């Protein structure tokens, strides 16, 4: 009995698979032929590399002004850079895997070097595109000369050439921008170090020309230093607002205080900083010094003036408060003076002592006029005089004696500085 034969469709249910396409096989053959043509032409270009380099350098000089300047500055270095880049590019067409890392390192170095030299990035990228065009044209020309019938095959490897150009343009751009950021950080850090040395008074004479160039200020000139506090939220923007418009200044930010090195071009230095400041902004202004070498001294004077500035804000110019500055510059002596002149008031109730001190300070601010002081204190003139006599009785000092009067004023300044 014959065996039953099942239909083939019962053995493998479902749709019948489509016939296997032969396109990949054809494509692989085309790719192999195209690579053969590419490699043959690339080897010729590699043997003719010096002449190819000469042509690219000539094209760069003609079409890219930045490279024209580079060639004029150092023709040998530019030629070697172009030669090295072309060698890596063509070698990558012959051996993509083996030459890849070397080509990347070469492109990265070119981007970094050109950033250090200040050559525009657009010029460097243009040079890479020109190099890619020259290599491609060289491949086409060589194939047309040696085997014209194979030129059509190059279209299948064109993407390899231009993918290489795109990849290495990206590498160059990344290297350029990273180097540019590093250079900017170094410049900013160097400027900051130079400014800090000037303000600290530790700058060397040999560094002054570099500092002048970095800060864009003349080495020889008249300067004041401005110390600003209370502008932390806006940094130097708020500090700049503390100065008159158009002032030429370099700002150096600190933890709590910004310092401005201000060039006094002409006229009175007092006009540089307005008297009125935003609430809470305190400004101390040094006296005028000669040259950047004296900026450290001016910074100390500005800090002293800043210590004299009231907590609510305002501007204090050192030249207008020299006696008080003497007190502020020596805290130990200031404390001794305050204790000697105001110590006897310690036995009073704090409120009573404060009334006497406030009356004395107001009377001194009114040039010794009890009438004017009474209007400020909202009390009778005799009340002012009685409080002053009580101060004299408690301290044994006479406000009609010039020496005692001067000491009393300095003691009040010391008290305010020691008890802000």
């Amino acid at each position: 009995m014959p065996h039953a034969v099942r239909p083939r469709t019962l053995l493998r249910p479902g749709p019948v698979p489509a016939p296997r396409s032969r396109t990949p096989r054809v494509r692989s053959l085309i790719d192999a032929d195209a690579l053969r043509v590419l490699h043959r032409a690339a080897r010729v270009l590699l043997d003719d590399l010096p002449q190819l380099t000469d042509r690219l350098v000539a094209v760069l000089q003609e079409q890219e002004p930045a490279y024209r300047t580079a060639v004029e500055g150092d023709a040998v270095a530019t030629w070697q850079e172009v030669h090295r880049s072309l060698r890596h590019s063509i070698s990558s067409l012959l051996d993509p895997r083996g030459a890849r890392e070397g080509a990347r390192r070469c492109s990265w170095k070119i981007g970094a070097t050109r950033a250090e030299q200040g050559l525009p990035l657009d010029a460097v990228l243009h040079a890479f595109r020109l190099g890619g065009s020259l290599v491609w044209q060289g491949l086409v020309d060589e194939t047309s000369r040696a085997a014209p019938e194979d030129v059509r095959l190059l279209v299948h490897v064109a993407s390899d050439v231009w993918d290489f150009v795109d990849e290495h343009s990206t590498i160059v751009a990344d290297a350029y921008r990273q180097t540019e950021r590093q250079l900017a950080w170094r410049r900013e850090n160097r400027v900051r170090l130079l400014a800090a040395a000037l303000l600290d008074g530790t700058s060397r004479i040999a560094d002054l020309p570099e500092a002048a160039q970095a800060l864009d200020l003349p080495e020889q000139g008249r300067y004041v230093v401005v110390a600003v506090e209370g502008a932390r939220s806006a940094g130097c923007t708020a500090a700049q607002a503390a100065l008159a418009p158009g002032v030429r200044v370099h700002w150096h930010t600190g933890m709590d205080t910004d310092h401005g090195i201000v060039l006094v071009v002409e006229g009175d230095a007092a006009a540089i900083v307005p008297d009125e400041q935003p609430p809470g902004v305190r400004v101390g202004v040094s006296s005028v010094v000669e040259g950047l070498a004296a900026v450290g001294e001016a910074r100390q004077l500005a800090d002293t003036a800043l210590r004299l500035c009231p907590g609510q804000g305002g501007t204090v110019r050192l030249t207008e408060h020299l006696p008080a500055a003497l007190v502020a510059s020596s805290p130990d002596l200031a404390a001794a003076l305050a204790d000697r002149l105001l110590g006897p008031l310690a036995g009073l109730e704090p409120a009573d002592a404060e009334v006497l001190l406030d009356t004395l300070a107001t009377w001194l601010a009114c040039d010794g006029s009890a009438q004017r002081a009474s209007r400020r204190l909202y009390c009778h003139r005799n009340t002012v005089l009685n409080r002053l006599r009580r101060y004299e009785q408690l301290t044994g000092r006479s406000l009609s004696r010039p020496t005692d009067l001067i000491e009393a004023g300095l003691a009040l300044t010391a008290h305010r500085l020691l008890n802000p």
Side-chain angles (χ1 to χ4, degrees):
M1 184 175 182
H3 295 287
V5 180
R6 295 183 180 183
R8 289 176 62 87
T9 55
L10 296 180
L11 296 175
R12 298 185 63 183
V16 178
R20 196 170 182 182
S21 173
R22 299 185 61 176
T23 303
R25 174 63 179 166
V26 175
R27 175 65 178 167
S28 64
L29 289 174
I30 293 176
D31 286 347
D33 290 340
L35 286 174
R36 173 180 53 79
V37 172
L38 173 67
H39 290 172
R40 182 179 62 198
R43 280 190 288 269
V44 173
L45 291 185
L46 203 56
D47 292 338
D48 195 34
L49 192 55
Q51 289 74 18
L52 187 65
T53 302
D54 290 339
R55 290 201 295 274
L56 180 52
V57 170
V59 170
L60 289 174
Q61 285 184 281
E62 178 184 350
Q63 299 189 23
E64 184 49 65
Y67 269 88
R68 189 181 310 134
T69 303
V71 171
E72 292 173 357
D74 192 341
V76 173
T78 304
W79 192 93
Q80 290 175 342
E81 176 189 283
V82 172
H83 183 271
R84 188 164 51 249
S85 179
L86 287 174
R87 177 167 54 82
H88 281 289
S89 300
I90 298 172
S91 297
S92 294
L93 297 177
L94 293 168
D95 183 11
R97 291 186 179 180
R100 180 172 183 171
E101 288 307 313
R104 286 184 167 185
R105 286 194 298 270
C106 176
S107 296
W108 183 275
K109 184 177 180 180
I110 290 174
T113 301
R114 289 310 188 183
E116 292 173 351
Q117 295 171 346
L119 201 73
L121 176 58
D122 288 345
V124 182
L125 295 178
H126 187 205
F128 263 74
R129 289 193 295 273
L130 290 174
S133 297
L134 192 64
V135 169
W136 174 250
Q137 189 61 49
L139 295 172
V140 172
D141 291 346
E142 173 57 29
T143 303
S144 298
R145 183 193 65 79
E149 68 279 4
D150 290 340
V151 171
R152 60 184 178 80
L153 293 173
L154 286 177
V155 71
H156 298 287
V157 291
S159 61
D160 295 339
V161 176
W162 293 109
D163 285 348
F164 179 91
V165 174
D166 289 342
E167 177 190 0
H168 284 258
S169 293
T170 301
I171 292 173
V172 166
D174 289 345
Y176 189 101
R177 294 189 180 103
Q178 180 174 318
T179 303
E180 199 173 39
R181 287 192 297 269
Q182 292 173 347
L183 291 172
W185 180 87
R186 290 175 190 169
R187 284 193 297 268
E188 292 171 2
N189 193 52
R190 182 59 179 165
V191 168
R192 181 169 179 81
L193 290 174
L194 289 168
L198 286 176
L199 291 166
D200 291 342
T202 58
S203 182
R204 301 180 304 171
I205 297 298
D207 292 335
L208 291 178
E210 181 186 1
Q213 182 178 9
L215 276 57
D216 193 25
L217 293 170
E219 183 178 347
Q220 301 301 327
R222 300 171 67 235
Y223 289 97
V224 297
V225 171
V226 178
V228 182
E229 281 188 0
R232 297 264 55 84
S233 60
C236 285
T237 301
Q240 179 69 55
L243 304 184
V247 172
R248 192 171 169 187
V249 57
H250 176 83
W251 285 106
H252 181 79
T253 56
M255 292 296 294
D256 301 308
T257 307
D258 292 340
H259 290 92
I261 304 173
V262 185
L263 179 65
V264 182
V265 179
E266 58 183 15
D268 188 1
I272 290 175
V273 186
D275 293 330
E276 297 296 326
Q277 298 294 340
V281 175
R282 303 168 60 243
V283 181
V285 186
S286 75
S287 53
V288 177
V289 297
E290 296 292 335
L292 287 178
V295 163
E297 173 190 347
R299 183 260 177 93
Q300 294 178 0
L301 299 176
D303 288 344
T304 298
L306 184 64
R307 289 198 292 271
L308 300 175
C309 194
Q312 64 269 25
T315 298
V316 170
R317 298 178 182 83
L318 187 79
T319 53
E320 299 172 2
H321 299 80
L322 292 177
L326 290 173
V327 175
S329 61
S330 181
D332 292 340
L333 291 178
L337 181 63
D339 183 65
R340 181 182 178 189
L341 271 292
L342 306 178
L345 303 184
L348 301 177
E349 291 292 329
D352 291 342
E354 191 62 32
V355 167
L356 291 184
L357 292 174
D358 189 34
T359 301
L360 178 59
T362 304
W363 179 73
L364 289 172
C366 293
D367 298 326
S369 170
Q371 187 66 42
R372 288 165 55 194
S374 67
R375 287 197 293 269
R376 287 195 186 183
L377 295 170
Y378 301 102
C379 63
H380 195 274
R381 173 179 177 276
N382 290 339
T383 302
V384 173
L385 293 174
N386 289 335
R387 291 173 181 173
L388 294 177
R389 278 194 293 270
R390 189 179 180 198
Y391 165 80
E392 290 177 323
Q393 291 169 357
L394 289 170
T395 61
R397 302 284 169 170
S398 173
L399 295 177
S400 60
R401 187 182 300 125
T403 302
D404 289 353
L405 185 62
I406 292 172
E407 289 184 347
L410 294 176
L412 283 173
T413 300
H415 176 77
R416 180 171 62 81
L417 294 175
L418 297 171
N419 302 278

